[in-house]
Amino acid sequence: MNGPGGSGAFTVVGIGPGDPELITFKAARVIGAAAVVAYHAGVRKQSHARRIAADLIPAGAREEELRYPVTTGTTDHPGGYAGALADFYAECATRLSAHLDAGRDVVLLAEGDPLFYGSSMYLHDRFSDRYRTEVVPGVPAFSAATAAVGAPLVRQKDVLTVLPGTLPEAELARRLADTDGAVIMKLGRTFPAVRSALEQAGRLDGAWYVERASMPEQEWRPVAEVDPASVPYFSLVVVPGDTAPARTADRLRGDTAPARTADRLRGGREARTEVGARTADEARPGPASAPLLVVGLGPGPDAWLTPEVATALAEVDHVVGYAPYVNRVPQRRGLTRHASGNTVEVDRARQALDLALAGERVAVVSGGDAGVFGMAAAVFEAAEDPAYTEVEVRVLPGVSAIQAVAARAGAPIGADFAVVSLSDRLKPWTVVERRLRAIAEADLVLGIYNPASRSRREQVADAVKVLLEHRCADTVVVVGRDIGRAEESLTVTTLGAVDVAAIDMKCLLIVGASSTRVTPGGAVWTPRFVER
């Protein structure tokens, strides 16, 4: 129990997915002692929650039916669907608080588990600071659905992802491809998009549709055999981890992921380690190597993805890269994603080269242009290993971040310019300072990448100080943040007034030359000519 206030206690009780025998002993005890029993009901339907717990409700208990005003997104409420539900929950809170203030304990019945996509959580939010509250957990619907199918949902180190079917189709497909086991809730009208997402992710085979899990009318069948017009609210999809395409055969053999790596990537680094002094050709049986593509996705908007890169991504079987960039590649059937964290560029380059060496069609992805502080240099660095001699590396250009910021500002890089990264992870700060001074002395327009991060706050301030040794304080500075995205902003300021505290890794700076100008309308441009 928690929360101060009135003398009545508010308890949300999970009563499981439908079978009354799945109600826990604690839930049964709490319901049996309730003075007031509340439950939700559909617009023109009887309450499923009450039906499940009917035999446990005391004869003398008061009942409060909380009937939804709307169950879909269609309503004439001035606040739309969200506004209609907000008013509904406010009304429910008023009704139940009258009982609590009078000293009567209130039990709210919740199907499945109360805090798992449950409506009861909205009343719990309202009451937890005002009354004594408690939540009694229940068996969630997906547990009953998994038991019905009789297939293990996840094993050992498998990752389970629970997804609402209301997610955009592309997002569903991506998340389904990136997980082991999955549960998809909130079907009904979303089912056609859910089925399509499963197919794009290569997870349709082995995915199970379960309807009214644990109820007398329970049924289940492969998702591929379901009529979309027949899908009710009480349904979900179970995607066992054993059905993940790259793992199915190995699970049947009882293999684990680490033991399979060398076999899957024939000629990979593990195999080369074992062969010792043998040549790369002797160590690499199997298919001929495939070209490795390194592509730039542009700064963010799909409209800035080049047709050449889009075509390449539609044809490869593997995408390798930093997770946020991999996530930008649409999922489709047959595509395997290899996402990794930041600062492991060479490791992911080797992974991509190993796949290409084994004959797989692979693309390494970067934001912006892969050749501008991107993955292209890391791939060529890793490819210096003689074992990768046969792998052809092809770099496909993309729109760079500095191009995007410059275009938003006007034409600040219309004359000679230089680009520097302030990150000192791969080079000492003394080198950065020396280059900044040289650029400032040469009076070049300067583009600054990676100006600051959570752990690097002082470099951008130091860079401004260095530049001010050779530039006037009124030198034009453009600060572009998240350019191309919905939250983008562009600030035109000066070297003496730039707010370094507001700059982070989402920003790119353009520091003008002495000739850089600002038009009356606020556009920034640098003349092509230099006055003699």
Side-chain angles (χ1 to χ4, degrees):
M1 299 272 185
N2 64 288
S7 56
F10 179 70
T11 307
V12 185
V13 177
I15 55 176
D19 184 351
E21 293 187 345
L22 293 179
I23 297 176
T24 65
F25 286 129
K26 182 172 183 178
R29 175 176 58 79
V30 172
I31 295 169
V36 179
V37 176
Y39 40 82
H40 289 94
V43 176
R44 288 179 291 273
K45 301 177 181 178
Q46 296 300 310
S47 170
H48 288 282
R50 192 195 186 286
R51 177 184 60 78
I52 297 168
D55 293 341
L56 299 173
I57 298 174
R62 303 189 186 190
E63 297 188 28
E64 289 283 357
E65 182 184 73
L66 310 175
R67 185 170 292 278
Y68 290 105
V70 60
T71 54
T72 68
T74 302
T75 175
D76 58 2
H77 189 284
Y81 179 76
L85 286 186
D87 286 352
F88 167 67
Y89 289 125
E91 178 190 350
C92 293
T94 299
R95 289 170 57 185
L96 298 187
S97 63
H99 293 292
L100 294 167
D101 291 339
R104 292 185 286 270
D105 291 345
V106 176
V107 169
L108 176 61
L109 305 180
E111 297 152 17
D113 181 84
L115 301 182
F116 187 78
Y117 292 119
S119 299
S120 58
M121 67 180 72
Y122 300 110
L123 287 172
H124 182 268
D125 290 343
R126 286 170 165 80
F127 287 161
S128 59
D129 292 334
R130 299 168 53 193
Y131 305 100
R132 292 173 294 135
T133 62
E134 183 179 6
V135 176
V136 178
V139 176
F142 77 83
S143 294
T146 304
V149 174
L153 188 53
V154 283
R155 303 174 187 258
Q156 298 175 343
K157 296 181 179 179
D158 283 352
V159 173
L160 172 66
T161 302
V162 179
L163 300 165
T166 50
L167 282 176
E169 184 177 323
E171 179 74 0
L172 266 176
R174 177 181 70 79
R175 291 181 179 268
L176 285 165
D178 291 346
T179 191
D180 299 298
V183 173
I184 308 176
M185 314 287 291
K186 301 180 181 294
L187 297 184
R189 295 183 303 164
T190 68
F191 183 80
V194 169
R195 187 191 188 284
S196 176
L198 284 162
E199 188 168 18
Q200 293 171 44
R203 305 303 298 273
L204 184 59
D205 295 338
W208 288 91
Y209 166 84
V210 184
E211 184 177 309
R212 297 182 172 88
S214 85
M215 302 180 195
E217 59 271 35
Q218 164 185 286
E219 60 177 275
W220 65 92
R221 54 191 177 276
V223 171
E225 299 177 7
V226 176
D227 176 7
S230 68
V231 176
Y233 175 78
F234 285 100
S235 60
L236 53 81
V237 168
V238 175
V239 187
D242 288 355
T243 64
R247 292 181 287 276
T248 303
D250 300 304
R251 290 186 189 279
L252 294 176
R253 293 198 306 268
D255 294 345
T256 57
R260 297 193 301 272
T261 303
D263 291 334
R264 184 170 61 86
L265 301 180
R266 293 187 300 275
R269 299 190 67 81
E270 294 85 352
R272 291 195 300 279
T273 300
E274 295 172 359
V275 300
R278 287 187 294 164
T279 67
D281 288 337
E282 293 171 333
R284 191 184 66 255
S289 64
L292 175 60
L293 305 181
V294 188
V295 305
L297 302 176
D302 292 340
W304 290 353
L305 183 73
T306 70
E308 180 185 37
V309 170
T311 299
L313 293 175
E315 295 175 348
V316 297
D317 301 315
H318 300 265
V319 172
V320 178
Y322 179 38
Y325 301 141
V326 171
N327 292 345
R328 288 172 52 189
V329 180
Q331 181 59 46
R332 55 178 168 75
R333 189 174 182 86
L335 179 67
T336 302
R337 310 154 71 86
H338 306 270
S340 53
N342 203 2
T343 74
V344 291
E345 293 89 349
V346 175
D347 289 340
R348 73 169 65 104
R350 291 191 183 109
Q351 180 186 25
L353 286 161
D354 284 337
L355 286 164
L357 199 61
E360 302 285 344
R361 297 183 299 178
V362 189
V364 176
V365 294
S366 268
D369 181 273
V372 182
F373 302 120
M375 279 300 298
V379 169
F380 280 106
E381 179 182 341
E384 287 187 325
D385 187 330
Y388 298 124
T389 300
E390 292 187 5
V391 178
E392 177 189 0
V393 177
R394 299 177 186 169
V395 181
L396 307 185
V399 176
S400 68
I402 192 170
Q403 287 176 287
V405 174
R408 283 288 193 264
I413 55 174
D416 298 340
F417 70 96
V419 177
V420 168
S421 168
L422 291 193
S423 173
D424 56 358
R425 187 171 65 87
L426 299 175
K427 59 183 180 292
W429 179 249
T430 53
V431 171
V432 177
E433 282 191 333
R434 186 167 65 249
R435 292 174 178 175
L436 289 172
R437 286 193 173 89
I439 294 167
E441 290 175 359
D443 196 19
L444 296 173
V445 175
L446 170 63
I448 299 180
Y449 278 69
N450 306 315
S453 68
R454 282 176 294 184
S455 60
R456 293 188 301 103
R457 301 303 310 167
E458 71 281 356
Q459 280 94 333
V460 64
D462 291 345
V464 169
K465 291 178 183 177
V466 170
L467 294 172
L468 283 170
E469 294 174 6
H470 304 277
R471 299 281 180 88
C472 296
D474 60 358
T475 300
V476 178
V477 173
V478 175
V479 181
R481 174 189 293 275
D482 286 323
I483 295 300
R485 299 181 174 89
E487 60 274 23
E488 79 166 42
S489 66
L490 189 82
T491 302
V492 178
T493 182
T494 63
L495 196 57
V498 62
D499 182 5
V500 295
I503 293 171
D504 56 25
M505 285 292 283
K506 294 183 177 182
C507 298
L508 185 143
L509 279 63
I510 298 178
V511 180
S514 60
S515 59
T516 301
R517 307 173 185 179
V518 180
T519 70
V524 180
W525 68 290
T526 303
R528 295 173 298 160
F529 56 85
V530 176
E531 296 180 356
R532 295 172 182 253

